[in-house]
Amino acid sequence: MSNAMYNKMWHQTQEALNSLLDKESQNMMESQRNQVFIFQMLATFYIKYVQIFRNLEDVYDQIVHPQKRILIRKILDGVMGRVLELKNEMVELELTEFHYFDDILQDLKLAPQQLDIPIPKYFLKEKLEVIKGREKILAQILTSTGLDIPKKKYSVKSIPLEEAVKLIQISERARQGRLRAMFMKQIFLREHRSKQAKILGEKVADVGAAALQIQKVWRGFHQCKKTKKQREEEMIFLGMNPPPLFNEVSATVIQAEKVASLRNEMQIKHETNYKEALVTIKDDLKLLEGPDIKENLQDQIRHWFIECRNLTGMFPEYPNVEEGGSAIIFSNKTPQQEEDEGWKMSPSVFLPMMEEGNNVYKDMWKNRDESWNFPQDYDPELIKQEKRKELESEIRVQVDELMRQELKNLKLAVNREKEYPVKVGKKKGKKKGKKGKKGKRGKKDKDLTADRTIESLYKELVEEGLLIQALKVNLSDYIGEYSYLGTTLRQVSIEPMPSLLDVRQLIALYGILPLGSATVHEKAPLVKSLLLAGPSGVGKKMLVHALCTETGANLFNLSAANIAGKYPGKNGLQMMLHVVVKVARELQPSVVWIGDTEKTFYKKVPSAERTMDPKRLKKQLPKILRLLKPDDRILIVGTTQRPFDAELQSFCKVYQKIILVPRPDYASRFVLWKQIIQRNGGIITNALNISCLAKVTDGFTQGHIVQVVKGVLTDRRIRQQTYKPLTAVEFIAMLASMSPVYQEEEESFKDWYAKTPMGKKRALALTEGNIEKEKEKGKKKEKKGKKEKKKK
């Protein structure tokens, strides 16, 4: 796509955002009581904002104009924040983390894939050098301390010469034996053919019949091949099979990737030019227009002196620096403007940000003529407008000092007024206030490592194994399928198990977006801690690593098994947590992972684990959460296979959001088998019935599927695929030795979740709703009965 196309896409997205903001302002004035209507409204806004988010992310990533990018970034952060606010409102309304929009998507003619939360590329692009530098330092520390993962080395055993000769002789004799057997087989076949020829030699060979036989065989073979080809073409035409080159990367895609990389280079170049221009244009304005600005300001202030003298008979008091100096004199605010500002105060923090960005777009970019700026470099006129204001405020400070003295002299000369030494008491008061603040700060923040650098603390945590290297896993690698019957099931009071992609959505919303954007984290509904609960093999650890990969976050491992024996004693524990929080805060974003987190909250510690002291962090975790502020991009993530072993009350106090990670359903298993086989070098043909595999493997997790595929697809088996295609039986044989996740285990997770605060609220709301429905039915029956009696 060209610059013009991305500009057009931006203008269309802004129009959609403008109409959506108008609708939001209308709906905020109206009060609604119907819960179904409210959810429909919130869900529609959520879906539409996600569409705008997806478009703006593409535009911001590809547009090269530096000044446009600043505005788009501001609006993009606002849209992200609004999406999170709407999600939070839906959670509070429905009392569940998972929502289903099947009916609304159908009305809006959208596919479920269009609800995917995009991960802005700027999360990593803008700090790529920092991340690379940090990874390099981490790798150096790991190699120097010998903590890096050792590579498998195959040891070669030396054997005596006699044994070596014997092995060579055995293999050579075996080779000769195979050759001799093949040679004898050929002799036998030749003799057999000659005997058959003698027996049939008496019959006269009919050349025509032989030719007919050959034709018959050839035509049959040719027709079979033709029919098979036609069937394949028909299946492709019907959309049942992909086209032949479907999985191959086309030349157009390769070209598009090249253009995208060139755009990135252009963005960097234009950004550099823009930053240089900000300095040079300001300096030029200072030389050319600075004296005029100074003179105009002085004239305006002198005119104000004379006006006040004529009206009141006295010279005015000059405004203080704290009040804004002379700027406050000329700020013409009408009552109407003040009313507008008051009206902007709304429940949403991000609506004013989006409205402001939208107004700037309308005033500056909507109808701007850019025919002169084909390469989309910076616009010098816009920089001049911005820098004039900046320059004026700087010069105003200097002018204020001069004019204060001039006013003082005027008062002495004309009115014989004296300046009184006021504001002494105020200064003292201010000093007291400052002292009080300092005292409070000293109590709150005790830096136990004030004499140490962040680099030394970082190295210490790596050496202790508390700061680990995150695996390079993207969130898109967490494969699954959508739940297409969620709304239908809820309408008949059946709570559906979430799909894998529903879980993926929540990780993006609660983890990746706030960690990636400082603006979103500060202003959006704050999520400090997250719990992933589910059976073994469903990808909980993978999601933790994906969080770090997508945002460039540091990964701290505070699992009970990992901290056992490290930093012993009460003071040691305090020091460990202090160092972890300090480094995590300094090098944010950061993820603090607590694996098998139920051990930290054990009801009763098993005797085998008592030496490990797994409950060390139980009392400290709530304190850490209280220390985290909105500007600290730190997320505590717990993973557990057995949440029922934990003490529920303290467990739920620590983890703000609890996400159940289910075993994959049929649709997800179908996609998993297909993707994992292809990623491991497998070729899918008609001989491999994936639908059958997905059906048979009900209860098996992603971990099982990966293990089976890697076990079957050895290097030798991959080479054999050309003449021996893969079949389902090969994979099923390996599954026989594995134990699946049974329905009872899944039900135990659902029962446990029903005991959590959110689960209890949801159950209570559902029972109240059912009682109301029954009452309404009873009233209708009574009315019908009365009508029938009247008729009689």
Side-chain angles (χ1 to χ4, degrees):
M1 282 172 79
S2 62
N3 287 327
M5 289 296 286
Y6 279 110
N7 276 321
K8 188 182 177 183
M9 188 177 172
W10 181 38
H11 292 313
Q12 288 170 348
T13 307
Q14 283 294 151
E15 289 300 318
L17 179 62
N18 187 46
S19 65
L20 199 56
L21 289 171
D22 289 342
K23 283 177 187 173
E24 278 235 68
S25 60
Q26 288 167 16
N27 282 311
M28 284 200 174
M29 302 298 287
E30 299 170 4
S31 60
Q32 294 290 339
R33 289 185 180 179
N34 187 340
Q35 190 170 335
V36 176
F37 179 83
I38 295 167
F39 178 74
Q40 292 277 332
M41 183 187 74
L42 288 172
T44 306
F45 279 136
Y46 174 81
I47 292 164
K48 287 184 177 179
Y49 271 117
V50 168
Q51 302 316 300
I52 289 166
F53 178 19
R54 289 168 69 88
N55 290 338
L56 280 176
E57 202 285 312
D58 284 338
V59 168
Y60 182 71
D61 184 53
Q62 290 299 311
I63 218 161
V64 295
H65 197 297
Q67 287 147 304
K68 285 179 184 175
R69 280 171 59 80
I70 291 166
L71 178 61
I72 294 165
R73 170 68 177 274
K74 185 180 180 179
I75 298 167
L76 178 62
D77 284 346
V79 171
M80 271 196 279
R82 188 63 186 143
V83 166
L84 292 177
E85 283 181 337
L86 288 167
K87 174 68 181 175
N88 189 55
E89 283 178 33
M90 287 191 290
V91 170
E92 287 178 2
L93 182 73
E94 284 211 312
L95 301 170
T96 176
E97 299 293 349
F98 300 99
H99 311 289
Y100 303 100
F101 313 112
D102 318 342
D103 49 345
I104 302 167
L105 287 172
Q106 206 169 352
D107 294 341
L108 296 171
K109 293 180 173 60
L110 294 172
Q113 289 78 3
Q114 288 171 285
L115 261 183
D116 267 350
I117 301 293
I119 297 163
K121 296 175 191 73
Y122 80 79
F123 285 179
L124 295 176
K125 264 187 185 178
E126 291 183 0
K127 52 183 180 181
L128 198 61
E129 295 302 317
V130 176
I131 292 165
K132 281 182 178 176
R134 203 183 292 160
E135 282 177 355
K136 195 177 178 183
I137 292 163
L138 182 58
Q140 284 172 355
I141 296 167
L142 289 170
T143 48
S144 64
T145 52
L147 292 168
D148 55 334
I149 300 162
K151 292 178 182 178
K152 288 183 181 179
K153 291 181 180 178
Y154 296 99
S155 56
V156 180
K157 291 180 181 178
S158 58
I159 55 171
L161 183 64
E162 288 177 5
E163 281 186 34
V165 170
K166 194 180 282 185
L167 279 172
I168 293 164
Q169 282 177 344
I170 290 164
S171 59
E172 179 58 26
R173 283 169 186 163
R175 188 185 69 81
Q176 287 178 6
R178 285 194 297 273
L179 284 172
R180 185 172 178 78
M182 198 184 291
F183 181 63
M184 292 302 291
K185 188 180 178 182
Q186 286 171 358
I187 293 168
F188 171 76
L189 289 170
R190 204 182 299 145
E191 286 176 355
H192 181 71
R193 278 197 293 271
S194 63
K195 281 179 185 177
Q196 290 294 321
K198 281 177 185 178
I199 294 163
L200 299 168
E202 295 170 3
K203 294 180 182 179
V204 180
D206 187 352
V207 178
L212 192 68
Q213 190 67 23
I214 292 164
Q215 282 178 352
K216 189 179 175 182
V217 172
W218 168 249
R219 281 174 183 166
F221 168 75
H222 183 68
Q223 189 58 44
C224 281
K225 202 173 180 181
K226 192 179 177 182
T227 307
K228 191 180 177 183
K229 191 181 178 183
Q230 284 174 345
R231 181 165 177 76
E232 283 175 3
E233 286 172 357
E234 185 187 3
M235 294 298 276
I236 291 163
F237 176 73
L238 293 170
M240 300 294 286
N241 282 345
L245 302 174
F246 182 73
N247 293 319
E248 289 185 18
V249 181
S250 66
T252 314
V253 173
I254 294 163
Q255 182 62 27
E257 285 174 357
K258 284 181 183 177
V259 171
S261 64
L262 287 170
R263 277 182 189 284
N264 291 337
E265 289 171 17
M266 192 67 74
Q267 279 176 0
I268 295 161
K269 187 184 174 184
H270 286 186
E271 195 71 33
T272 310
N273 293 343
Y274 173 65
K275 284 176 181 174
E276 288 171 1
L278 287 172
V279 179
T280 54
I281 288 173
K282 188 182 176 182
D283 292 343
D284 293 344
L285 282 172
K286 204 170 187 176
L287 286 169
L288 297 169
E289 298 181 18
D292 293 338
I293 292 168
K294 188 176 182 181
E295 195 175 323
N296 288 336
L297 286 171
Q298 285 177 325
D299 289 344
Q300 283 176 3
I301 295 164
R302 284 191 190 107
H303 186 67
W304 175 62
F305 290 167
I306 295 157
E307 270 188 353
C308 287
R309 169 77 179 169
N310 292 339
L311 288 167
T312 61
M314 292 178 70
F315 286 111
E317 290 294 326
Y318 208 93
N320 297 325
V321 179
E322 291 82 4
E323 292 170 347
S326 60
I328 200 169
I329 304 162
F330 307 104
S331 61
N332 299 318
K333 274 198 174 181
T334 62
Q336 184 62 41
Q337 283 175 325
E338 283 172 18
E339 276 177 26
D340 287 346
E341 281 189 9
W343 180 81
K344 277 184 184 178
M345 293 296 288
S346 63
S348 170
V349 182
F350 292 95
L351 275 177
M353 188 195 292
M354 288 189 287
E355 283 167 2
E356 189 186 332
N358 193 41
N359 291 334
V360 172
Y361 162 77
K362 285 179 189 174
D363 298 340
M364 200 179 287
W365 296 107
K366 190 176 180 180
N367 301 313
R368 196 174 190 84
D369 179 23
E370 289 189 276
S371 54
W372 61 274
N373 192 6
F374 180 74
Q376 291 288 287
D377 208 344
Y378 67 86
D379 190 331
E381 286 305 313
L382 290 175
I383 296 175
K384 282 179 184 177
Q385 286 174 23
E386 184 190 333
K387 291 297 168 186
R388 272 194 193 101
K389 291 174 186 174
E390 202 177 297
L391 187 64
E392 188 179 318
S393 62
E394 286 176 10
I395 292 170
R396 191 180 288 280
V397 175
Q398 299 167 10
V399 169
D400 282 353
E401 287 179 15
L402 293 169
M403 296 313 289
R404 272 195 195 93
Q405 189 61 43
E406 191 172 311
L407 180 62
K408 191 179 177 182
N409 296 337
L410 275 169
K411 282 181 179 180
L412 285 168
V414 179
N415 291 346
R416 301 288 177 186
E417 292 177 11
K418 287 183 181 180
E419 292 288 323
Y420 296 102
V422 275
K423 300 176 187 176
V424 179
K426 283 185 182 177
K427 282 182 184 177
K428 280 181 182 178
K430 281 180 186 177
K431 280 181 183 177
K432 278 181 184 177
K434 282 181 183 177
K435 275 183 184 177
K437 281 181 185 176
K438 277 183 184 177
K440 279 182 184 178
R441 277 184 192 171
K443 282 179 185 177
K444 274 187 182 178
D445 301 327
K446 274 189 178 181
D447 194 350
L448 302 173
T449 54
D451 56 333
R452 292 184 62 183
T453 62
I454 289 292
E455 288 77 15
S456 68
L457 295 173
Y458 183 87
K459 190 180 178 183
E460 183 183 310
L461 288 174
V462 174
E463 287 171 351
E464 289 290 342
L466 299 180
L467 201 158
I468 60 172
Q469 198 162 22
L471 301 173
K472 295 291 173 191
V473 182
N474 293 315
L475 192 64
S476 57
D477 295 331
Y478 191 74
I479 307 160
E481 190 50 279
Y482 297 90
S483 176
Y484 294 97
L485 295 171
T487 307
T488 312
L489 289 168
R490 276 193 176 166
Q491 282 170 355
V492 293
S493 302
I494 297 170
E495 187 61 27
M497 274 302 281
S499 71
L500 299 182
L501 290 192
D502 291 329
V503 172
R504 195 170 87 178
Q505 289 275 68
L506 290 184
I507 295 296
L509 288 166
Y510 294 151
I512 292 172
L513 296 188
L515 283 176
S517 170
T519 309
V520 172
H521 196 278
E522 280 175 32
K523 297 177 181 178
L526 190 60
V527 176
K528 294 181 180 181
S529 56
L530 198 65
L531 176 69
L532 302 175
S536 176
V538 291
K540 299 182 294 294
K541 288 177 192 171
M542 180 186 175
L543 288 170
V544 173
H545 287 284
L547 265 171
C548 299
T549 306
E550 296 289 6
T551 57
N554 301 289
L555 181 58
F556 298 85
N557 184 359
L558 294 188
S559 305
N562 193 46
I563 63 169
K566 295 171 185 177
Y567 295 92
K570 193 178 178 181
N571 292 335
L573 181 64
Q574 193 180 352
M575 176 60 78
M576 178 184 78
L577 294 174
H578 165 76
V579 173
V580 166
V581 172
K582 187 176 179 179
V583 174
R585 190 176 278 154
E586 195 69 30
L587 305 176
Q588 58 184 284
S590 299
V591 172
V592 178
W593 171 45
I594 306 170
D596 296 326
T597 189
E598 77 283 352
K599 292 182 179 180
T600 310
F601 300 91
Y602 264 145
K603 292 173 187 172
K604 188 181 178 182
V605 180
S607 54
E609 294 181 23
R610 277 176 192 164
T611 52
M612 192 171 74
D613 192 14
K615 294 173 78 172
R616 279 180 83 191
L617 286 178
K618 186 180 177 181
K619 290 180 182 177
Q620 299 298 325
L621 281 174
K623 291 177 185 177
I624 294 171
L625 288 169
R626 282 196 293 272
L627 284 171
L628 297 180
K629 296 165 190 171
D631 57 344
D632 296 328
R633 283 185 290 154
I634 300 168
L635 182 68
I636 295 172
V637 184
T639 56
T640 176
Q641 298 174 30
R642 296 189 58 79
F644 9 86
D645 291 347
E647 190 189 333
L648 191 65
Q649 194 177 357
S650 53
F651 204 40
C652 294
K653 272 185 183 177
V654 167
Y655 291 108
Q656 191 180 343
K657 295 284 181 184
I658 298 171
I659 301 171
L660 278 186
V661 187
R663 56 182 189 166
D665 55 7
Y666 169 78
S668 292
R669 289 196 302 276
F670 186 90
V671 177
L672 279 162
W673 276 112
K674 195 174 180 181
Q675 293 275 346
I676 293 167
I677 287 169
Q678 287 176 335
R679 287 184 184 189
N680 285 277
I683 300 166
I684 292 168
T685 60
N686 292 333
L688 179 59
N689 191 338
I690 291 177
S691 180
C692 171
L693 270 177
K695 193 72 180 169
V696 169
T697 52
D698 184 17
F700 289 93
T701 63
Q702 299 96 306
H704 290 131
I705 294 169
V706 170
Q707 194 179 335
V708 168
V709 170
K710 284 184 175 177
V712 171
L713 289 175
T714 57
D715 292 340
R716 186 184 175 195
R717 186 66 189 88
I718 289 166
R719 288 195 300 271
Q720 290 174 346
Q721 287 182 101
T722 47
Y723 57 88
K724 188 183 174 185
L726 291 169
T727 58
V729 179
E730 296 176 70
F731 297 100
I732 290 165
M734 273 197 77
L735 283 165
S737 59
M738 296 178 181
S739 55
V741 176
Y742 294 103
Q743 186 70 35
E744 291 79 12
E745 190 176 343
E746 194 170 80
E747 288 299 322
S748 65
F749 276 97
K750 285 174 84 172
D751 293 342
W752 171 82
Y753 185 77
K755 294 172 188 174
T756 63
M758 181 72 83
K760 283 178 181 176
K761 285 178 188 175
R762 173 78 179 163
L764 187 65
L766 287 172
T767 51
E768 284 176 1
N770 291 335
I771 290 163
E772 283 176 13
K773 283 178 184 177
E774 283 174 13
K775 281 180 181 177
E776 283 175 13
K777 284 179 183 177
K779 284 176 184 178
K780 284 177 183 178
K781 283 178 182 178
E782 280 176 18
K783 283 178 182 178
K784 280 182 182 179
K786 284 175 182 178
K787 282 178 182 178
E788 284 172 5
K789 280 178 183 178
K790 282 178 182 178
K791 283 177 184 178
K792 285 177 182 178

